[in-house]
Structure formats: structure tokens, C-alpha cells
Amino acid sequence: RWRKWQIRARIQSSIDRNLAQAMNELERIGNLLGLPKSVKDEAALIYRKAVEKGLVRGRSIESVVAASIYASCRRIKIARTLDEIAQYTKANRKEVARCYRLLLRELDVEVPVSDPKDYVTRIGSLLGLSGASMKSAAEILEKAKNVGLTAGKDPAGLAAAAIYIAALTNDERRTQKEIAQVAGVTEVTVRNRYKELIQELKIEIQNQ
Amino acid sequence: MSIENIVATVTLEQQLDLYAMERSVPNVEYDPDQFPGLIFRLESPKVTSLIFKSGKMVVTGAKSTEELIKSVKRIIKTLKKYGIKITGKPKIQIQNIVASANMHVHVNLDKAAFLLENNMYEPEQFPGLIFRMDDPRVVLLIFSSGKMVITGAKREEEVYKAVKKIFDKLNELDCIRQIEEEEEELEI
DNA sequence: ATATTACTTTTCAAAGC
DNA sequence: GCTTTAAAAAGTAATAT
């Protein structure tokens, strides 16, 4: 009886210690990323489930915390790339991605497929674009999705190209370089997506 | 549909001296600190073999069972040619078959990701939808172009079964759209 | 600015760390 | 879990011309 109680207490305290450390990490990374409380709370919930299922064994707390944050961002539709989150940890993107896949498979956390439109708000505001431009970028992406142009493509690259077009047509031109930088993709990707979008959606660009 | 790669293990039931092989057989790589197996590349059929001191080997790169068998025979013949004594007949076991196929349709991956069970679709990480099929037990990488990769099969038949099954399933779920393809290559 | 090369994902065995 | 080997898919990245 006593022994059983002791074992249970020991396990509980081990989970508590793990959680306490994890919450510090979560708070640190979350603040560095400028995430709202709702995202941090959701991430904490996901992490708690992971610890209770013993998924953190053999892995660093930090990587699992980062993966929980990523899953939370995806659920709440706060656009953040895996790289952005991983940069504040000692682990690399690959390790965080591995933990994220583990969370998806082992926990019943449902994560919707990321929507390029979610990246528009972030990229647009970082560039100081008007709401009108962001709205037209979202419309371009909606059309692109309807003709099956977005399948398999990086949502950040798609959003970047849509913003490039929208800014151009709204007289708020930003260079591909500027957009690529804040979107976290290369200029080549922005250019490739841009070419495809204007060609397939028959968008007229006056400028040169 | 075509088989792209077959991974097989070959058991020779005898110990091998890899150091002696490295000295006498040309074009082999052996660095036990890096990897316990000796790497031997056969030019035709173009396959690569990892040979272990236990007498077991892994042969990769074959595109058909016939090619695999021919490769194993040639590898053993080559080793014998350079003075490596090999007794008994090799036991060949196919461990993994990788194949590619083309459905010639456009696939709505967003919809498929929502409707299919056991799938993973993360376009920021990889363009294909990863689907784990229970029967046959294989993994399929499905692309929006309608092309796909089937891996994890142990028999050729499982590949055909999996391709038919996923096509029917995507059709049922209405995740497929016909596409106008210019060049229709004829294949069997 | 475009062309190559290289990496992402999945699968599998081998022996050893 | 890692190390090594092969192969395809399509996208993206890094480097070369």
C-alpha cells in the first residue's frame, strides 16, 4: 500500500518537475516569438498531454516544448514557421519536426492544414502594408486554391508571391527581396510562385 | 507503374574477412569506424551491396526480382574471382520495394488530408501527402500531380494492390480531378 | 537571372556504438 | 537513436555560371 503510494507520488513529482521546467521554457520561447497568451496556454495543454503519455522520455524538454508551440500556432492559426520556433532552442529544425510528428501521431491533437492566408496578415503587417493589399492578397490565394495551384507548395512562399502582386496592384510596391526576407523564403521561390500565379490566374501586371 | 528500387538481404551462412576483401577486391570501400559493412558496387546490373563479416549482406538498387537475382550471382562470382572463398548458396530475402506510379489526375491534397485517416500533409516541409495504408501495409507519398511513391512493400503484388486501392479511395472521396495531359505515354 | 546540385520525406536490412 | 546504401516523387535552398 505504502509502496504503491510512494511510487505514484514519485512519478507525480517527476511529472511536476518536468512540467515546471517546461513551462519556463514555454514562457521564454513564447515571449521571444511574441505569441499571445492563448497560444501559450494551448501549447501548455499539448505539452501536458505529451508528458503524461511519456512522450518526452529520451527527448529534450526544449524540443517537445517547441513542437507543442508549433502545434498550438497551427491550431490557433498564428503563422509561424518551424524554423522561427527552432531558432530559440538548442535543437535544430529537424529534431523539432520529429517531435511535432510524434505529437501528431501519439496525441489526439488535430492540426488543420496550414492556410497560406494565415501568413498574409503577418507578412503584410511586418511590411506595413494596407488592409486593402492584404485583402487582395487573400483573394488571389483563394482563387489559386480553387484552381488547385496551391497543393504541395509552401504556404509562406505562396503568401509572399500573393502579397508581392497585391502590393504592386495597390501602389504599395515592395521588392521581392524585402518580401522574401520577412516571409522566410528565398527570392527565387517568391519569383517562381509569382510567375505561376500571374500566368495561371491571368493577372495583368502593367509595370515592368 | 514501375519498380524503382528493391532492398534485399542475402545470407551466406559463413564468416567473411572484410579486411582481406578490401585488399584483394578492387573498388570497394571499407571504413569500420564509419560503418561496419564493406561497400561493393556492381556496374551491371547497377546495384550496391553492403557486406558484413557475419556473411550477411544488403543489396540495394535492383529494379526487378530478376535483376536482383542476377546481381547476387554476379557479386558472388566477382568475389570468388578475387580469391574470396564462398561456400553454399545464398538465401535472398526482399525487405523493401519502392515503386512509383502515375494516376494521370490532379489530386486535391487539402481535401484528401481532411478525409483520409492516417495521413500527414505538411506542405511547408514536404510537397507530398504521406499515407500509411494498413492493408497492404505500405506507405504512399501522394503528390498533387497524381504521381506517387509506394514504399515498404515486400511483394510486388502489394504495390499493385495499394495503387488500385488508393486510386479508388481518392475517387470515392472526390479528391481527384481530371487533367488535360498533352503527352500520354503508353505503358503496360 | 537561370542552371545545376543538393537537400526535404518514406521504407528496409545489415552490426555496432 | 545513429552510422551507410538506393530510389522515386515535387518543392525549396544553396551555389555555380
Side-chain angles (χ1 to χ4, degrees), chain A residues 120-132:
Chain A
V120 167
T121 328
R122 191 160 123 84
I123 298 171
S125 50
L126 283 171
L127 291 168
L129 293 176
S130 65

Side-chain angles (χ1 to χ4, degrees), chain B residues 7 36 53-54 95-96 126 132 151:
Chain B
V7 178
K53 65 183 180 192
S54 62
Q95 302 291 161
N96 181 28
F126 188 72
R132 288 161 206 280
T151 185

Side-chain angles (χ1 to χ4, degrees), chain A residues 74-91:
Chain A
R74 288 281 299 274
R75 281 172 63 78
I76 301 179
K77 292 185 168 293
I78 297 292
R80 239 91 212 185
T81 64
L82 217 43
D83 275 311
E84 287 179 272
I85 298 170
Q87 70 174 324
Y88 297 118
T89 72
K90 287 178 281 299

Side-chain angles (χ1 to χ4, degrees), chain A:
Chain A
R1 221 44 23 213
W2 266 102
R3 183 112 195 101
K4 197 170 178 181
W5 183 85
Q6 268 186 316
I7 290 168
R8 189 179 298 170
R10 198 163 61 219
I11 291 171
Q12 191 52 51
S13 73
S14 136
I15 290 177
D16 287 345
R17 262 180 278 121
N18 185 308
L19 272 177
Q21 196 185 329
M23 291 309 118
N24 282 333
E25 281 294 302
L26 176 47
E27 204 50 39
R28 180 183 69 81
I29 301 171
N31 291 337
L32 285 169
L33 288 163
L35 297 175
K37 187 170 183 300
S38 60
V39 174
K40 292 188 275 186
D41 288 346
E42 173 72 15
L45 223 64
I46 295 169
Y47 186 88
R48 183 180 294 269
K49 279 191 192 176
V51 183
E52 284 168 358
K53 274 214 172 183
L55 299 181
V56 189
R57 283 177 201 165
R59 264 167 275 265
S60 75
I61 291 176
E62 205 184 32
S63 316
V64 183
V65 165
S68 303
I69 291 175
Y70 181 66
S72 173
C73 286
R74 288 281 299 274
R75 281 172 63 78
I76 301 179
K77 292 185 168 293
I78 297 292
R80 239 91 212 185
T81 64
L82 217 43
D83 275 311
E84 287 179 272
I85 298 170
Q87 70 174 324
Y88 297 118
T89 72
K90 287 178 281 299
N92 56 339
R93 189 203 81 267
K94 202 167 180 175
E95 176 58 22
V96 179
R98 198 196 317 280
C99 293
Y100 170 64
R101 266 170 269 165
L102 185 81
L103 297 182
L104 291 189
R105 289 191 66 172
E106 302 299 323
L107 304 178
D108 352 292
V109 275
E110 285 205 30
V111 174
V113 174
S114 54
D115 189 338
K117 286 196 220 71
D118 298 334
Y119 283 85
V120 167
T121 328
R122 191 160 123 84
I123 298 171
S125 50
L126 283 171
L127 291 168
L129 293 176
S130 65
S133 285
M134 293 192 243
K135 188 168 179 285
S136 51
E139 284 165 3
I140 291 168
L141 290 171
E142 184 60 33
K143 285 178 194 154
K145 186 183 173 184
N146 290 335
V147 297
L149 261 188
T150 60
K153 271 105 174 191
D154 183 355
L158 285 165
I163 280 197
Y164 178 69
I165 297 168
L168 262 186
T169 55
N170 284 289
D171 293 317
E172 295 189 300
R173 187 174 191 276
R174 293 297 126 94
T175 64
Q176 294 182 351
K177 190 175 181 179
E178 289 178 276
I179 298 174
Q181 197 176 13
V182 300
V185 295
T186 63
E187 286 179 68
V188 179
T189 295
V190 177
R191 203 172 302 128
N192 288 340
R193 292 300 128 246
Y194 160 73
K195 284 180 189 166
E196 192 175 45
L197 287 177
I198 59 169
Q199 188 179 67
E200 301 300 319
L201 298 181
K202 295 175 172 50
I203 297 171
E204 301 291 338
I205 301 291
Q206 314 298 323
N207 313 51
Q208 52 283 132

